[in-house]
């Protein structure tokens, strides 16, 4: 029986440590929750018994409630991707080293802020 090679780093159970976790930006602002993971490609001719495990490339978030209820998978263009390299710390929440406004996951909030809230008198500044 082959023993897996010892690799540097931390072994993480995706379902236990990553999926459905809250993602916070570098200022502690909630960004999204993790719905799925995007793994690196594995060539088709790879023998999976002795192969290195795939690495996580992106955390995925998006409008997946309909597919969770009715089945199937959402189209690839519906997913918002957060690069694995943007993660600063993995604890009870996933902390990023990026600002929320720099990520594509916060575009709906930015759109509502600019096109709805910003049109309300006094909506463009903090309350006094």
């Amino acid at each position: 029986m082959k023993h897996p090679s010892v690799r540097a780093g931390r072994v993480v159970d995706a379902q236990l440590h990553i999926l459905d976790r809250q993602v916070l930006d570098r200022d502690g602002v909630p960004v999204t929750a993790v719905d799925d993971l995007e793994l690196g490609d594995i060539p088709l001719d790879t023998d999976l018994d002795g192969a290195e495990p795939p690495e996580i490339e992106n955390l995925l978030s998006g409008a997946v409630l309909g597919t969770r209820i009715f089945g199937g998978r959402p189209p690839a263009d519906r997913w918002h991707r957060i690069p694995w390299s943007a993660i600063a710390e993995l604890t009870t929440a996933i902390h990023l080293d990026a600002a929320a406004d720099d990520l594509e996951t916060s575009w709906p909030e930015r759109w509502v802020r600019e096109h709805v809230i910003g049109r309300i008198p006094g909506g463009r500044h903090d309350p006094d």
Side-chain angles (χ1 to χ4, degrees):
M1 178 177 167
K2 287 184 179 179
H3 293 286
S5 61
V6 178
R7 295 179 61 171
R10 179 174 156 196
V11 175
V12 175
D13 182 328
Q15 188 172 6
L16 183 63
H17 296 110
I18 299 174
L19 296 177
D20 291 327
R21 292 290 173 124
Q22 182 71 46
V23 178
L24 306 173
D25 77 349
R26 67 175 161 225
D27 300 320
V29 175
V31 176
T32 188
V34 178
D35 294 312
D36 208 344
L37 300 172
E38 188 171 54
L39 302 176
D41 291 333
I42 302 174
L44 293 176
D45 60 347
T46 303
D47 177 23
L48 296 179
D49 288 335
E52 290 288 321
E55 293 185 7
I56 299 172
E57 288 187 0
N58 296 305
L59 303 178
L60 300 176
S61 177
V64 296
L65 180 60
T67 56
R68 284 188 178 176
I69 293 172
F70 301 112
R73 265 191 92 67
D77 63 343
R78 297 283 178 133
W79 289 112
H80 301 290
R81 288 168 170 75
I82 299 173
W84 183 258
S85 60
I87 296 176
E89 186 178 14
L90 187 63
T91 60
T92 56
I94 298 173
H95 300 270
L96 303 177
D97 62 359
D101 287 341
D102 296 339
L103 302 168
E104 67 178 56
T105 56
S106 62
W107 77 263
E109 183 176 334
R110 285 194 308 269
W111 187 90
V112 169
R113 182 175 57 220
E114 293 169 8
H115 293 90
V116 178
I117 305 299
R119 295 180 186 266
I120 298 171
R124 292 204 180 268
H125 60 80
D126 289 333
D128 294 329

